[in-house]
Amino acid sequence: MLAWLFWGLWVAGASAIVVLWVFSVGTAFRILSGVRAGGGSNAAVDWIKMVVWPFAIRHLAGAPADRAANLSQRLSRMLVALFVAFLVATASLAVYSNLTFALPAQTHQ
């Protein structure tokens, strides 16, 4: 019974990671659309930056000042939430695997 609780936590954590990633790509898109409107950059590079946004946060600068603070703060919060969801998913998967571990059968010769 306890193993199923941690299985559910793993599913919830993995789902949260996917949902947060999708929302953060949308936020990165809004930041980069503001950058492109202000005399922006290459569209193909922008798509890559949106997908790998945690590694490209410093390259998302250049949005208009009125929106930049709000969007970058939101993106930072999503990064923290993504990290927490990853920790929950990883820890619950570790506990689940420990709870369901079965020792190999003993063979006597």
Side-chain angles (χ1 to χ4, degrees), residues 31-32 35 49 56-63 68:
I31 291 173
L32 290 174
V35 170
K49 286 180 186 178
I57 282 181
R58 63 186 175 98
H59 297 291
L60 297 179

Side-chain angles (χ1 to χ4, degrees), residues 75-93:
L75 206 57
S76 296
R77 287 178 184 167
M78 285 186 192
L79 185 61
V80 170
L82 185 74
F83 184 69
V84 169
F86 179 74
L87 286 177
V88 167
T90 305
S92 60
L93 188 62

Side-chain angles (χ1 to χ4, degrees), residues 34-67:
V35 170
R36 265 187 263 129
S41 59
N42 189 350
V45 173
D46 288 347
W47 281 101
I48 294 171
K49 286 180 186 178
M50 281 188 298
V51 173
V52 295
W53 66 270
F55 309 106
I57 282 181
R58 63 186 175 98
H59 297 291
L60 297 179
D66 56 343
R67 295 182 60 201

